[in-house]
Amino acid sequence: MAGVSYYAAAAAGTGRPSVVQFGAAPNRSRWVSRTRLRRRNAGGRFGLDSNSELQVDVKPSSGSMVEIELVATNTGSNLALHWGALQPGRSEWVVPPAGIRLPEGTIRTPDDAALRTPFKNSGSNSTLKIEIDNQGLESIEFVIVDEAQNKWFKNNGQNFQVHMRPPAGHHHQGQQHSATAGSIGRKNRDVMQLLSKNASTNDQVNKAAEATPSKCTVLDLFIKSLQEKHGSQVLCKKVFKLGEKEILALMSQVQGSTKVHLATDHVEPLILHWALAQKPGEWKAPPPGIVPAGSTLLEIACESPFSDAELNGLHYQVLEIELDDDSYKGMPFVLRSNQTWIKNSTSDFYLDFSRRTAKSSEGTSDDSKGTAKALLERIADLEEDAQRSLMHRFNIAADLVDQAKDAGQLGLAGLLVWMKFMATRQLIWNKNYNVKPREISQAQDRFTDNLQSLYKMYPQHREMLRMIMYTVGRGGQGDVGQRIRDEILVIQRNNNCMGGMMEEWHQKLHNNTSPDDVVICQALMDYMNSDLDIKVYWDTLNKNGITKERLLSYDHPIHSEPNLKSEQKEGLLHDLTNYMRSLKAVHSGADLESAIGTCTGYTSESQGFMVGVEVNPVKGLPSGFPELLKFVLDHIEDKSVESLVEGLLEARAALRPLLLSSTERLKDLIFLDIALDSTVRTAIERSFENLNNASSEKIMYFISLVVENLALSTDDNENLLCCLKGWNHALEMSKHSDDQWALYAKAFLDRTRLALATKGEEYHDILQPSAEYLGSLLGIEQWTVNIFTEEIIRSGSAASLSLLLNRLDPVLRNVANLGSWQIISPVDVAGYVVVVDQLLTVQHKSYDKPTILVVEGVKGEEEIPDGVVAVLTPDMPDVLSHVSVRARNSKVLFATCFDPKILSELEQNEGKVLSLKPASVDISYREIPESELLVSSSIDTVDGQKAPSLSLAKKQFLGKYAISAEEFSDEMVGAKSRNIAYLNGKVPSWVSVPTSVALPFGTFETVLSDKINKEVSQKVKILTEKLDQGELGALSEIRNVLLNLTAPTYLVSELKEKMQSSGMPWPGDEGEQRWEQAWTAIKKVLASKWNERAYLSTRKVKLDHSNLSMAVLVQQIVSADYAFVIHTTNPSSGERSEIYAEVVKGLGETLVGAYPGRAMSFVCSKNNLESPKVLGYPSKPIGLFIQKSIIFRSDSNGEDLEGYAGAGLYDSVPMDKEEQVVLDYTTDPLVTDCSFRTSTLSSIARAGYDIEQLYGGSPQDIEGVVKDGKIYIVQTRPQIGGEELEVDELLDLQQLRRHILDHLRVYLVVVGVVVEVRRDGCVVGDTTHAAAAPLDCSPNIPILSSPAAARLGSHPAAALGGEAGCESSSRDAVH
């Protein structure tokens, strides 16, 4: 909280306060500061009641002046402060002496014992400021009085007390943690000190995995050789450990022959002692006809020698056995090296023929795509060994760490999935093998030590490594594992419980302890605390996944229930409580108490045969850190969790520098951080009920706490930290009753939701493929696999945060008057409800009935499918995104629904026919019969007429490879270029237009036909033929081939001359490499003719794709502070007197491209351009920035056809790559500075209005940027659906005459009529023709846009020619 002078304003005194009837207040003599040390705070947040809070800020004013500001939220209008002051060394309060400036309205109480000061009302809040300039006062002490309701509000039964000055010797910069019984003083640190930017993107992860294949062992090469050279199909395989070496046993089939292969990297010569089995446990000598050469048959076995072999210079031994029938179930064997027998630990080796490999190793399917395939298959091979005991599993995992590391993040994802399957009991923990607890903890130590090493070496993988460690547990230190075995005996003897359930549990613990023992111990403690209620015992077990069947499944089963006596209860409870520490120390990665003890140190004395344990504290812990951890433990059970969570987060923040360094015993600190993180989550979940009636400020504060916790657990957390800063700023705005606070908070709520969704997608992309592939290899139940990633997310803070956001969202929408919907394209419709996941997956589908799509995800660049009349989504594309423009142009209802209940209701109507009617912020709907739909619907027809077909006129090359703006014409370039040329010199002086040149129509085709590009041309021809036959994969191939085009020298020289003569820099002046960058960008623009979306879009409206011509507009990039898009008619409401615009920070690609989040949006009345109204604050997390560069913009003849929204289908490519920057809106003056915002938005609106006037009032779709306060317009075109010039308003003929009087002769094309309008205003015409007449006009003559002409019944004027600026379609202005 800004403004707190000596301590950060963390929440203080969060318990529910006492409410005392007026008159029952204690007298002055009792108001002594008995709890001063634990109640003193320099500001903070206090609870008043379930829906109200008191926020106190203390900050220095001038000189020795201190200002104390109090804000009470959601309170009545009659609050007063009943207060006094404390002097140093005095326990009773005093009335401040005369001379101190007291707030207005302050009076002394009748007994002269206190002051009474009224709060001032500000909306639902009450505020009060006190300024005190007296060095002799240390703090103020007070209670709050609601005089209307006769209530006193206190702080957990005590007076509120606020410290005004630092204690003696205190220095702010060196502030240490101050842990008290009631609150925690949080260190005043910059949020960005918690920044971590180590994570790689998914693309980088996948590239790294491809670029760094795991190292192949000789056994891997052997399997590969079998498959590739011999065509063998692997039926089953198993890898066994031979100390540091391994032996592979597999059964294969090739051409009807079944063989067993054994291969090993063991160095010493080996003899295989083997047999065949037709039932488990059997040893049966093989038939003589199948034994390998050199074998010796014995009574029930055979001995066969291995042969030496070599692959890629690696030595190995191999043996092959061909089986004679398929009745065998398996092959038992042991090995002999000289006179030494080698077994599988204490058992025989066994290759189970029935355990077939789930997925063939050759990987002909895509099931393993996106995984570290070799690692997962190796895990599956070793799983049978891992099932012997947790010791075996953790040792195998430790051995696999290097292979996982080599596979990058996908390798670590594979380890995590395996360990998570183990932790959730999907895999067997123990099977026929006794192991000591000490051996389990040692194996855990070995595994987690390896993970610790990776944590130090690879910062980008720390998040994944934390998650693995969370599933594994800490392991023992100081022989803690052995104490599990020893202590249970002591507990039994001390409490006389040597038989029954306790003895059965002892036998299990003695041989195979597991994480289940933590639950069993807790169940026993709950049983005793419930006065020996056996139902409680079973409830605890069952809630934690342990059933009676599981207890019986242990190698040493637990058959009995506890049957203890009341006299045993006290001692047994005491001993089990201590015993739980040992269990959690080994098995729990997230137990807070054991994690704290391990880091701060503890000693457990030996007793008889029981070993002693001494754990030393970790060196280098921050000053005051142990006291901070003690505070956390003292408050772990608090009902009000605010102070606890603050303490946990302060501990995590203090711990963070140690986690980023190669600290000694780093692993223990990681487990402590994991435990702190887990405790935050459980505390927040515990608080949900108390937040049911909480104020919006309280919920926002809790959101800020959870966002901070999530950021501390995330590798790449910059976006989350910017969200945190936004929530803190929203809290300040709310506290000061800023009327924009709810709208501002809603933007950060949307951004935070987007961050959670992005994180969820990242987890799904990295983890889910491994879960599915490994799950199939190990036979994991499908339902477990399906929800794997979901459960990972639920186990972290993200799930709690999502619930808090859902709780706050309707509150913000209500306060900001946002309603439940944002209507992007308002149209009354009716249709069949269809629910889909992503619009992208159905964008090229054609529905044969009027269809209402309820869509989970909309990115912004999709097409609206044929037959769709409405798209309803919880996603939030920009109002000016491609799909939004498409919807308005196609008269499709398009809306965002903010209320999940409404959306769920709509989804439940799938298959039904609904009628939808949008209002300003709402949509009403009702079910209607199909007959009513059939009467009201007529797809693709208007008044019984089919929509006019579209056609493209192929453009010819006119002999110039490059032209200047003065040469732009409709035969040379598209509307984008011509409009820019037209604006130049006509816009107001405070608006600029970038200098432009162009590569005209036909340049691309001419370059392609040049002899230097003959090979490229031939490939394009072949691929085009494939495309014509419906092979859409040819599109990407064509684009790739076109990148091999060579620029003819005459193109290079002409473009250079035009750019330099226009005052633009020539890239080649900076070196040949810079020209190559520019030429590559040009080729990408030309190749975008074959974008999938563009190609399919033109095909859908039956345009001849071969007639599409591409010009390239070349402009110098303005290094923008902000970019904007203006629609001079409000597209959502159709209001013609209102300008609508959206603004983003940085370049405009984040606005017009499919970048997530919302732009800042505003409207502005054309009658009052100085007063823009913000509709929404920005939530886009990313901005694009670029320094001095050149951009090459697509300008095709297909982007602006009548009735076809082609804009945005083709690419504009900058010569240099943009820098992606995570945006911090709390430092952006457009968001935080009201006067700057008003000035900037007004300038944008005025530019839009002035440009609209240049086009005779025809609504415009304008793109531009702001740089250092100056407006730059980069393009304009007619606004789709912006029918500003209504026919019934203008075409009263007298108005039409006045409209064009004093201009040149013009021909209007009307259905069946060619009308000539002369200079004198007379209208004459020949009504027998419908041909388009030539248009003879100067570029600035305003002519009716075609939407207006359409309402006269006109055909599209396909041949409107003329000077620069005169357009051939309604997508650009007609001059």
Side-chain angles (χ1 to χ4, degrees):
M1 308 293 167
V4 177
S5 176
Y6 307 118
Y7 303 85
T14 57
R16 194 179 179 106
S18 305
V19 179
V20 186
Q21 290 300 314
F22 195 79
N27 61 38
R28 176 186 175 190
S29 63
R30 292 176 58 196
W31 281 11
V32 295
S33 187
R34 292 185 299 270
T35 58
R36 185 182 310 172
L37 289 177
R38 64 187 184 92
R39 294 293 175 193
R40 181 179 295 160
N41 294 277
R45 181 178 277 109
F46 304 78
L48 293 180
D49 60 23
S50 61
N51 196 40
S52 303
E53 289 183 336
L54 176 67
Q55 171 68 41
V56 182
D57 276 358
V58 182
K59 51 189 173 182
S61 184
S62 58
S64 59
M65 182 78 72
V66 175
E67 180 182 284
I68 302 172
E69 183 177 14
L70 301 96
V71 179
T73 63
N74 299 315
T75 56
S77 58
N78 294 280
L79 290 189
L81 191 76
H82 190 87
W83 64 289
L86 289 170
Q87 297 172 327
R90 299 284 299 276
S91 60
E92 294 188 1
W93 68 358
V94 297
V95 174
I100 286 184
R101 181 169 33 180
L102 298 176
E104 183 180 351
T106 299
I107 61 172
R108 290 176 178 261
T109 57
D111 60 354
D112 205 32
L115 299 177
R116 181 75 58 87
T117 303
F119 281 70
K120 292 183 178 180
N121 297 323
S122 177
S124 62
N125 296 344
S126 300
T127 64
L128 176 60
K129 286 186 179 179
I130 302 173
E131 290 184 337
I132 295 180
D133 184 9
N134 190 302
Q135 297 283 0
L137 300 181
E138 184 179 73
S139 58
I140 68 166
E141 190 164 327
F142 61 92
V143 293
I144 304 241
V145 184
D146 186 334
E147 295 177 330
Q149 299 186 45
N150 289 340
K151 289 182 181 178
W152 293 75
F153 294 98
K154 304 185 72 180
N155 184 23
N156 290 321
Q158 304 292 332
N159 302 330
F160 296 93
Q161 187 181 117
V162 176
H163 199 69
M164 294 185 294
R165 307 189 189 282
H170 175 84
H171 300 285
H172 173 56
Q173 294 301 322
Q175 170 66 33
Q176 301 299 322
H177 307 288
S178 174
T180 67
S183 65
I184 186 69
R186 296 208 61 185
K187 189 174 181 180
N188 191 11
R189 61 173 61 83
D190 181 1
V191 164
M192 300 312 290
Q193 290 179 359
L194 307 179
L195 179 64
S196 174
K197 297 182 73 170
N198 296 318
S200 301
T201 64
N202 286 352
D203 287 344
Q204 291 172 322
V205 168
N206 293 333
K207 287 176 183 175
E210 293 167 7
T212 314
S214 57
K215 298 171 184 176
C216 285
T217 67
V218 69
L219 300 186
D220 295 328
L221 294 173
F222 174 73
I223 295 175
K224 189 175 181 181
S225 173
L226 278 180
Q227 294 170 335
E228 293 181 354
K229 294 181 180 179
H230 307 292
S232 298
Q233 178 188 0
V234 176
L235 302 178
C236 65
K237 62 186 174 78
K238 187 82 172 66
V239 177
F240 302 94
K241 299 293 291 184
L242 301 178
E244 296 296 317
K245 303 298 182 179
E246 295 176 330
I247 184 168
L248 165 71
L250 67 82
M251 183 169 69
S252 72
Q253 193 172 60
V254 57
Q255 298 179 349
S257 175
T258 302
K259 297 180 180 180
V260 173
H261 308 266
L262 295 105
T264 178
D265 55 357
H266 195 274
V267 177
E268 299 296 327
L270 288 176
I271 299 294
L272 180 73
H273 186 90
W274 63 285
L276 293 172
Q278 292 181 320
K279 59 183 179 181
E282 182 180 44
W283 276 72
K284 184 176 180 181
I290 71 169
V291 299
S295 298
T296 302
L297 270 172
L298 306 176
E299 184 178 351
I300 61 170
C302 178
E303 288 196 342
S304 304
F306 281 79
S307 301
D308 289 333
E310 189 176 287
L311 274 171
N312 289 6
L314 300 174
H315 171 266
Y316 69 105
Q317 299 183 65
V318 66
L319 179 62
E320 181 181 294
I321 302 167
E322 184 169 349
L323 302 180
D324 57 346
D325 66 53
D326 58 1
S327 64
Y328 303 114
K329 302 301 182 186
M331 188 180 91
F333 65 93
V334 293
L335 301 167
R336 182 160 55 83
S337 176
N338 295 321
Q339 300 304 312
T340 302
W341 289 95
I342 302 172
K343 302 188 73 176
N344 187 20
S345 294
T346 58
S347 304
D348 299 333
F349 296 102
Y350 186 75
L351 177 61
D352 186 350
F353 295 165
S354 64
R355 189 176 180 272
R356 298 301 171 97
T357 301
K359 302 290 178 184
S360 60
S361 293
E362 60 266 26
T364 55
S365 71
D366 286 332
D367 292 341
S368 63
K369 186 177 180 181
T371 73
K373 180 174 182 287
L375 173 68
L376 299 187
E377 292 181 348
R378 184 154 180 74
I379 287 172
D381 289 340
L382 295 170
E383 174 58 29
E384 188 173 335
D385 277 347
Q387 291 179 359
R388 291 184 171 201
S389 72
L390 291 177
M391 178 194 73
H392 288 82
R393 186 175 298 280
F394 293 140
N395 276 326
I396 291 170
D399 292 338
L400 292 175
V401 165
D402 275 347
Q403 185 177 349
K405 174 200 69 178
D406 291 340
Q409 190 158 13
L410 294 180
L412 296 176
L415 269 188
L416 172 60
V417 169
W418 188 36
M419 289 296 104
K420 189 68 175 178
F421 283 156
M422 181 257 324
T424 54
R425 304 188 179 95
Q426 299 301 312
L427 301 174
I428 296 171
W429 287 358
N430 181 265
K431 184 167 66 177
N432 303 321
Y433 197 94
N434 294 334
V435 61
K436 299 174 183 176
R438 178 180 64 234
E439 294 169 331
I440 294 176
S441 63
Q442 287 172 345
Q444 281 176 288
D445 265 341
R446 179 169 171 252
F447 181 31
T448 52
D449 281 345
N450 289 352
L451 296 175
Q452 173 187 251
S453 297
L454 294 188
Y455 189 96
K456 292 178 180 179
M457 296 169 59
Y458 301 97
Q460 70 271 28
H461 297 322
R462 284 175 176 163
E463 186 175 343
M464 189 72 69
L465 291 164
R466 281 170 52 92
M467 295 166 73
I468 298 172
M469 294 173 78
Y470 178 83
T471 66
V472 174
R474 183 179 301 101
Q477 182 185 358
D479 220 6
V480 173
Q482 183 60 30
R483 289 184 68 90
I484 291 177
R485 192 177 189 185
D486 295 345
E487 285 180 4
I488 190 63
L489 277 171
V490 175
I491 291 171
Q492 286 182 278
R493 290 175 182 176
N494 288 348
N495 296 279
N496 193 25
C497 48
M498 298 301 294
M501 177 268 170
M502 290 295 291
E503 178 58 26
E504 292 169 355
W505 186 35
H506 161 229
Q507 291 301 321
K508 177 194 179 300
L509 289 162
H510 190 78
N511 293 285
N512 284 297
T513 183
S514 70
D516 282 4
D517 295 315
V518 176
V519 180
I520 294 170
C521 186
Q522 187 62 55
L524 283 169
M525 292 163 64
D526 292 346
Y527 161 69
M528 287 179 284
N529 279 320
S530 67
D531 203 20
L532 307 181
D533 185 346
I534 196 64
K535 183 176 179 297
V536 172
Y537 169 79
W538 285 109
D539 283 348
T540 300
L541 291 178
N542 293 336
K543 285 176 183 176
N544 289 278
I546 298 181
T547 61
K548 185 174 293 185
E549 290 73 22
R550 183 164 182 84
L551 293 175
L552 294 172
S553 72
Y554 301 139
D555 279 356
H556 293 270
I558 300 176
H559 298 276
S560 308
E561 294 180 335
N563 184 21
L564 302 169
K565 300 176 182 178
S566 56
E567 56 265 26
Q568 295 171 298
K569 187 170 70 172
E570 183 177 352
L572 196 53
L573 257 177
H574 174 271
D575 290 349
L576 286 178
T577 300
N578 290 328
Y579 187 53
M580 183 70 91
R581 171 188 281 184
S582 296
L583 289 171
K584 287 183 174 180
V586 172
H587 294 302
S588 176
D591 177 63
L592 184 60
E593 185 174 1
S594 62
I596 289 175
T598 301
C599 290
T600 57
Y602 69 90
T603 300
S604 295
E605 299 295 337
S606 61
Q607 181 177 342
F609 59 84
M610 189 171 68
V611 300
V613 175
E614 183 174 358
V615 177
N616 295 318
V618 174
K619 296 178 181 178
L621 293 177
S623 176
F625 193 63
E627 291 77 15
L628 180 59
L629 296 178
K630 183 180 184 303
F631 170 87
V632 166
L633 289 177
D634 288 345
H635 290 264
I636 201 75
E637 300 295 336
D638 282 2
K639 184 176 181 181
S640 178
V641 303
E642 195 167 326
S643 290
L644 169 64
V645 174
E646 289 169 346
L648 290 162
L649 291 176
E650 185 61 26
R652 293 198 69 193
L655 195 59
R656 182 176 177 77
L658 296 179
L659 294 173
L660 302 180
S661 62
S662 297
T663 309
E664 183 184 353
R665 288 177 58 188
L666 176 61
K667 179 175 70 173
D668 293 330
L669 297 177
I670 296 171
F671 276 114
L672 174 57
D673 190 57
I674 289 171
L676 292 166
D677 176 15
S678 179
T679 309
V680 171
R681 178 179 58 82
T682 55
I684 292 293
E685 290 173 354
R686 198 167 78 235
S687 72
F688 282 158
E689 185 176 348
N690 293 336
L691 291 174
N692 281 338
N693 299 310
S695 67
S696 55
E697 282 191 18
K698 170 78 83 173
I699 299 173
M700 283 196 293
Y701 184 61
F702 267 76
I703 287 172
S704 72
L705 295 176
V706 183
V707 170
E708 181 179 354
N709 190 58
L710 192 58
L712 286 165
S713 303
T714 303
D715 278 344
D716 190 2
N717 65 5
E718 187 173 9
N719 186 30
L720 286 170
L721 293 179
C722 288
C723 289
L724 175 58
K725 293 181 71 175
W727 285 111
N728 290 340
H729 190 68
L731 277 165
E732 288 296 309
M733 292 174 69
S734 175
K735 183 183 70 175
H736 292 99
S737 302
D738 188 313
D739 61 3
Q740 295 281 295
W741 77 266
L743 202 60
Y744 178 90
K746 180 65 170 71
F748 277 93
L749 185 145
D750 293 341
R751 179 170 178 175
T752 307
R753 268 188 178 151
L754 182 59
L756 292 181
T758 302
K759 195 66 183 174
E761 290 171 6
E762 178 188 321
Y763 279 167
H764 187 276
D765 292 345
I766 293 173
L767 298 177
Q768 194 62 31
S770 293
E772 291 173 1
Y773 188 56
L774 185 60
S776 70
L777 295 175
L778 300 180
I780 302 297
E781 291 182 87
Q782 191 59 45
W783 69 269
T784 303
V785 172
N786 292 343
I787 64 171
F788 182 86
T789 303
E790 182 181 340
E791 289 302 308
I792 289 284
I793 294 170
R794 283 182 177 177
S795 66
S797 296
S800 302
L801 180 55
S802 181
L803 290 172
L804 289 170
L805 295 175
N806 290 342
R807 188 167 294 187
L808 182 63
D809 193 357
V811 176
L812 297 181
R813 285 190 280 108
N814 181 56
V815 174
N817 298 313
L818 294 177
S820 298
W821 293 85
Q822 179 175 23
I823 314 300
I824 297 171
S825 173
V827 185
D828 291 3
V829 299
Y832 294 86
V833 176
V834 173
V835 179
V836 298
D837 184 49
Q838 298 291 324
L839 184 59
L840 187 67
T841 61
V842 297
Q843 64 174 333
H844 299 303
K845 184 175 180 178
S846 184
Y847 293 91
D848 57 2
K849 299 177 181 178
T851 299
I852 297 167
L853 286 183
V854 182
V855 187
E856 179 65 28
V858 177
K859 300 299 183 185
E861 287 197 330
E862 301 91 338
E863 296 293 319
I864 305 289
D866 286 343
V868 168
V869 297
V871 177
L872 310 177
T873 177
D875 225 334
M876 295 174 287
D878 290 311
V879 173
L880 302 183
S881 66
H882 176 82
V883 71
S884 302
V885 172
R886 277 269 189 256
R888 289 190 291 270
N889 187 45
S890 305
K891 304 302 180 188
V892 170
L893 172 60
F894 187 31
T896 292
C897 180
F898 298 114
D899 191 330
K901 292 182 180 178
I902 294 176
L903 205 67
S904 176
E905 290 172 3
L906 286 167
E907 290 172 346
Q908 290 169 16
N909 282 287
E910 185 166 20
K912 297 179 181 178
V913 180
L914 297 185
S915 171
L916 307 179
K917 293 187 178 296
S920 59
V921 292
D922 199 5
I923 292 180
S924 60
Y925 64 91
R926 63 185 178 90
E927 186 175 358
I928 61 173
E930 287 185 285
S931 57
E932 187 176 336
L933 173 66
L934 294 173
V935 170
S936 63
S937 300
S938 180
I939 299 179
D940 292 332
T941 62
V942 179
D943 297 330
Q945 301 287 328
K946 283 194 173 184
S949 61
L950 302 176
S951 63
L952 278 174
K954 189 172 182 65
K955 300 292 185 178
Q956 302 300 317
F957 181 61
L958 299 182
K960 293 185 177 182
Y961 286 92
I963 57 176
S964 62
E966 291 77 19
E967 300 172 273
F968 290 177
S969 71
D970 62 345
E971 293 302 320
M972 302 281 277
V973 292
K976 189 181 295 182
S977 300
R978 299 198 305 275
N979 280 334
I980 282 297
Y982 172 62
L983 288 179
N984 203 10
K986 297 181 179 67
V987 292
S989 60
W990 51 273
V991 177
S992 293
V993 178
T995 302
S996 305
V997 300
L999 303 178
F1001 291 140
T1003 299
F1004 163 65
E1005 290 81 4
T1006 304
V1007 170
L1008 184 62
S1009 63
D1010 193 290
K1011 60 183 180 181
I1012 61 174
N1013 291 309
K1014 182 178 179 180
E1015 185 178 345
V1016 174
S1017 179
Q1018 290 173 341
K1019 290 181 179 179
V1020 169
K1021 183 179 179 181
I1022 294 169
L1023 290 169
T1024 302
E1025 291 172 355
K1026 290 172 62 177
L1027 184 62
D1028 291 341
Q1029 294 169 7
E1031 296 184 37
L1032 295 181
L1035 288 168
S1036 61
E1037 293 184 66
I1038 293 173
R1039 294 198 304 273
N1040 289 330
V1041 167
L1042 289 175
L1043 293 180
N1044 295 315
L1045 281 172
T1046 299
T1049 55
Y1050 29 88
L1051 181 150
V1052 178
S1053 60
E1054 286 190 34
L1055 181 58
K1056 177 179 180 180
E1057 189 274 325
K1058 291 298 181 184
M1059 290 180 69
Q1060 289 180 333
S1061 63
S1062 299
M1064 297 175 68
W1066 171 244
D1069 289 343
E1070 302 175 46
E1072 184 64 23
Q1073 182 183 357
R1074 293 290 287 162
W1075 159 246
E1076 287 301 326
Q1077 279 183 254
W1079 177 235
T1080 298
I1082 291 170
K1083 289 186 287 187
K1084 288 180 178 178
V1085 174
L1086 297 173
S1088 69
K1089 173 180 175 178
W1090 284 272
N1091 278 343
E1092 282 83 358
R1093 187 162 60 90
Y1095 177 80
L1096 293 170
S1097 180
T1098 55
R1099 192 175 71 171
K1100 187 162 68 173
V1101 295
K1102 297 180 173 58
L1103 284 173
D1104 187 346
H1105 188 259
S1106 64
N1107 285 344
L1108 190 137
S1109 298
M1110 184 73 72
V1112 180
L1113 176 63
V1114 184
Q1115 293 179 322
Q1116 196 166 353
I1117 288 180
V1118 178
S1119 181
D1121 299 325
Y1122 305 98
F1124 58 82
V1125 173
I1126 306 169
H1127 277 192
T1128 58
T1129 287
N1130 189 329
S1132 295
S1133 64
E1135 180 57 57
R1136 299 189 305 273
S1137 65
E1138 199 169 61
I1139 289 171
Y1140 176 89
E1142 293 183 346
V1143 187
V1144 295
K1145 195 168 177 63
L1147 298 178
E1149 180 60 22
T1150 59
L1151 180 54
V1152 299
Y1155 282 76
R1158 284 274 179 87
M1160 172 178 276
S1161 59
F1162 72 96
V1163 292
C1164 193
S1165 169
K1166 294 176 183 176
N1167 297 322
N1168 186 7
L1169 295 171
E1170 302 303 320
S1171 301
K1173 177 185 177 183
V1174 175
L1175 300 180
Y1177 284 92
S1179 62
K1180 287 184 179 291
I1182 296 296
L1184 298 179
F1185 295 86
I1186 201 168
Q1187 297 305 313
K1188 181 180 178 182
S1189 189
I1190 294 170
I1191 189 167
F1192 301 91
R1193 299 182 184 274
S1194 61
D1195 192 21
S1196 77
N1197 64 336
E1199 293 184 52
D1200 299 281
L1201 288 175
E1202 170 76 24
Y1204 174 63
L1209 289 177
Y1210 308 100
D1211 294 345
S1212 295
V1213 183
M1215 190 173 82
D1216 298 284
K1217 185 173 177 59
E1218 307 98 327
E1219 179 189 4
Q1220 286 198 1
V1221 175
V1222 178
L1223 297 175
D1224 179 2
Y1225 293 113
T1226 65
T1227 60
D1228 182 358
L1230 192 66
V1231 174
T1232 61
D1233 186 330
C1234 182
S1235 61
F1236 178 86
R1237 179 169 62 246
T1238 299
S1239 172
T1240 302
L1241 300 187
S1242 293
S1243 296
I1244 292 170
R1246 184 170 297 281
Y1249 177 78
D1250 288 347
I1251 290 170
E1252 184 185 63
Q1253 295 308 301
L1254 287 174
Y1255 289 88
S1258 176
Q1260 295 295 296
D1261 175 352
I1262 304 163
E1263 295 180 23
V1265 300
V1266 181
K1267 174 65 176 175
D1268 297 330
K1270 189 172 181 65
I1271 303 293
Y1272 294 80
I1273 300 299
V1274 298
Q1275 72 178 66
T1276 185
R1277 54 178 171 254
Q1279 179 181 333
I1280 293 296
E1283 301 169 333
E1284 172 69 22
L1285 298 183
E1286 296 285 351
V1287 173
D1288 56 358
E1289 294 176 3
L1290 278 177
L1291 293 187
D1292 156 352
L1293 288 179
Q1294 295 300 321
Q1295 288 178 311
L1296 177 61
R1297 288 189 185 114
R1298 287 193 295 273
H1299 181 64
I1300 57 175
L1301 202 61
D1302 300 324
H1303 291 297
L1304 297 176
R1305 180 170 50 88
V1306 179
Y1307 289 100
L1308 291 179
V1309 183
V1310 184
V1311 176
V1313 184
V1314 177
V1315 183
E1316 179 183 351
V1317 185
R1318 296 177 179 167
R1319 283 185 180 276
D1320 61 4
C1322 295
V1323 179
V1324 296
D1326 178 358
T1327 61
T1328 63
H1329 299 85
L1335 175 64
D1336 182 12
C1337 62
S1338 65
N1340 61 346
I1341 297 178
I1343 297 298
L1344 290 178
S1345 63
S1346 54
R1351 284 216 278 284
L1352 283 174
S1354 74
H1355 288 303
L1360 291 180
E1363 300 292 323
C1366 296
E1367 310 307 341
S1368 61
S1369 77
S1370 69
R1371 281 289 292 156
D1372 280 82
V1374 180
H1375 310 298

